[in-house]
Amino acid sequence: MLTDDGKHLYVSWDEYHLLTERLALKVHNSGWEFDQILCLARGGMRPGDVLSRVFDKPLAIMSTSSYRAEAGTIQGRLDMAKYITMPKGELAGRVLLVDDLADSGVTLQAVVERLRGMPAIRELKSAVLWVKGVSSYVPDYYVEMLPTSPWIHQPFEEYDGLRPDGLARKLSV
């Protein structure tokens, strides 16, 4: 649910799963066939996992991070993992890059540039659930364009501040 002022988008688990399923159908309906999925950790792991299952394609993971301060709301220096984790082989052929959102677009653009420099990748397309209006990068596939660039409150964020002792209290009720 988008707040009236357009500054916050609250997403339930049901909405999150529906958006992920809609993303899978957008990719499918495009007719583009790919060999592997590369998801960006952490945000792209959930949609990447679902797409990997739906399309029955191997899932690779690359860790990136650019949020540092103010509980993850201030963007800082971009860190990209040197290695990509895969069950076997190398990232090659036609690759679908999956993340949860194109926020500023900086992370996705940097990853796309790095991947396009890998000779084994013949074709690369990107997919996200949301694209913010301020994003400098628009992926090939997305479900929702958010012109007001709201802060997205995703359903799993409750775990960001939950530690084992808090979880124990929550579950003992």
Side-chain angles (χ1 to χ4, degrees):
M1 175 183 75
L2 187 64
T3 57
D4 290 339
D5 63 5
K7 292 183 179 180
H8 296 270
L9 176 66
Y10 292 88
V11 182
S12 70
W13 278 112
D14 287 344
E15 292 166 324
Y16 189 89
H17 293 301
L18 181 61
L19 288 166
T20 303
E21 291 167 355
R22 288 177 60 203
L23 182 61
L25 284 177
K26 281 195 170 225
V27 173
H28 172 74
N29 291 338
S30 76
W32 185 62
E33 295 185 17
F34 54 93
D35 307 308
Q36 297 172 317
I37 294 173
L38 172 64
C39 70
L40 298 183
R42 295 187 304 188
M45 291 178 72
R46 286 172 182 87
D49 175 59
V50 171
L51 270 63
S52 172
R53 292 168 189 271
V54 168
F55 290 102
D56 193 27
K57 299 293 182 183
L59 179 64
I61 300 169
M62 173 188 231
S63 186
T64 62
S65 178
S66 63
Y67 288 99
R68 296 279 179 254
E70 301 295 319
T73 61
I74 304 294
Q75 192 163 15
R77 181 179 59 106
L78 174 63
D79 293 325
M80 264 193 289
K82 184 176 180 180
Y83 300 102
I84 295 169
T85 303
M86 298 186 55
K88 65 179 180 178
E90 67 174 328
L91 194 63
R94 295 167 304 207
V95 176
L96 179 64
L97 173 64
V98 177
D99 202 358
D100 57 346
L101 71 128
D103 193 348
S104 68
V106 171
T107 299
L108 277 170
Q109 184 66 50
V111 171
V112 164
E113 287 174 11
R114 177 172 166 191
L115 296 175
R116 289 206 169 122
M118 297 173 67
I121 296 177
R122 290 194 335 262
E123 191 174 2
L124 176 70
K125 291 195 178 187
S126 55
V128 300
L129 303 177
W130 302 281
V131 178
K132 290 188 179 183
V134 297
S135 181
S136 60
Y137 179 81
V138 177
D140 300 284
Y141 306 103
Y142 61 90
V143 181
E144 292 184 350
M145 174 63 76
L146 303 171
T148 62
S149 302
W151 182 259
I152 301 170
H153 301 270
Q154 299 188 47
F156 44 81
E157 288 178 3
E158 71 176 292
Y159 298 109
D160 288 346
L162 187 63
R163 299 299 170 252
D165 58 335
L167 185 58
R169 283 192 300 277
K170 176 182 173 182
L171 295 177
S172 67
V173 173

